Amino acid sequence: MYTLVKILCSAAIIGIVTEVARRFPSYGGMIAALPLVSILSIIWLTVQSESSEHIQRFTYGVIVGLPATMFMLFVIYMAMKSSIHIVFAIGLGIVSWAVFLGVQKAIAGIFNISI
């Protein structure tokens, strides 16, 4: 039952954001840029009584993944600007995200930084 409540609340937020984006694309993009999934995840983890340390590690993971996510969105934007079909643009974005994370992890390893 609890999982169903999480799914319904999360889906409602996504539905509202996409409706705003449909009417006002720039504002919808700005709202979507909010870390909604991260905030919802932190809320759900807190409600499920996860430890503060666990939530801190989750938040650190979000911070580490942020540069790759920004790069992915940039690739998708540029691909669509170049008239590449949305499916391929998203595919390129996902591949660029994975490559970026791999490079980021390799660079962190060179400097003995744990990711």
Side-chain angles (χ1 to χ4, degrees):
M1 179 65 178
Y2 183 69
T3 301
L4 183 61
V5 170
K6 288 192 305 187
I7 291 169
L8 291 175
C9 288
S10 301
I13 290 171
I14 292 168
I16 290 167
V17 171
T18 55
E19 282 303 307
V20 170
R22 196 169 60 84
R23 292 184 178 93
F24 310 100
S26 293
Y27 290 124
M30 285 184 259
I31 294 168
L34 288 170
L36 293 172
V37 171
S38 300
I39 291 169
L40 284 171
S41 298
I42 290 169
I43 290 168
W44 297 132
L45 288 168
T46 302
V47 169
Q48 291 176 302
S49 301
E50 290 294 337
S51 69
S52 178
E53 181 182 324
H54 185 89
I55 296 170
Q56 288 173 11
R57 285 194 317 251
F58 168 79
T59 305
Y60 178 73
V62 172
I63 292 168
V64 168
L66 188 58
T69 299
M70 292 184 336
F71 186 70
M72 176 194 73
L73 292 171
F74 177 74
V75 168
I76 292 170
Y77 169 77
M78 291 305 292
M80 291 184 66
K81 191 173 181 177
S82 299
S83 299
I84 294 176
H85 190 273
I86 185 72
V87 173
F88 296 119
I90 291 172
L92 284 171
I94 291 170
V95 168
S96 70
W97 175 81
V99 169
F100 192 101
L101 279 177
V103 170
Q104 181 178 337
K105 187 171 183 174
I107 292 170
I110 291 169
F111 294 101
N112 294 321
I113 299 170
S114 177
I115 296 183

